[in-house]
């Protein structure tokens, strides 16, 4: 599995973990307190916000209802897989 990941690395869009990401996540966790967002939820949301700048029509995929509500509140588009996907 590790060799597959390493082989695919160059095809991935990587979000740098610099001072911007944790700062934005800490701000977001306070703003999203009503949804019960956890720290890692906000890291995922901020990463999606950063990726959305680079990709039009980026969909945020989550199976966590609270995280989905927080994503919608942050004006992210939720990805809806086709109904026959599962």
């Amino acid at each position: 599995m590790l060799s597959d990941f390493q082989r695919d690395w160059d095809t991935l869009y990587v979000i740098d973990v610099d001072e911007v990401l944790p700062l934005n996540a800490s701000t977001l966790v306070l703003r999203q307190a009503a949804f019960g967002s956890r720290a890692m939820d906000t890291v995922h949301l901020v990463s999606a916000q950063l990726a959305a700048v680079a990709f039009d029509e980026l969909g945020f995929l989550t199976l966590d209802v609270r995280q989905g509500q927080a994503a919608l509140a942050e004006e992210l588009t939720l990805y809806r897989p086709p109904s026959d996907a599962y």
Side-chain angles (χ1 to χ4, degrees):
M1 191 165 34
L2 179 58
S3 64
D4 289 344
F5 177 73
Q6 290 170 331
R7 183 193 68 235
D8 293 340
W9 180 257
D10 290 335
T11 67
L12 303 175
Y13 184 76
V14 178
I15 302 294
D16 290 328
V17 179
D18 56 15
E19 65 277 350
V20 173
L21 192 130
L23 180 61
N24 288 355
S26 64
T27 301
L28 187 63
V29 78
L30 296 173
R31 194 167 61 234
Q32 294 296 329
F35 298 109
S37 293
R38 297 167 298 246
M40 284 308 298
D41 291 335
T42 60
V43 168
H44 292 138
L45 289 169
V46 168
S47 297
Q49 289 172 326
L50 294 170
V53 172
F55 298 96
D56 292 333
E57 301 180 32
L58 178 75
F60 185 79
L61 175 63
T62 182
L63 299 177
D64 183 325
V65 172
R66 292 179 302 176
Q67 192 179 43
Q69 292 169 331
L72 289 173
E74 293 301 317
E75 300 182 0
L76 290 168
T77 302
L78 290 183
Y79 172 75
R80 307 275 187 209
S83 59
D84 62 346
Y86 298 102

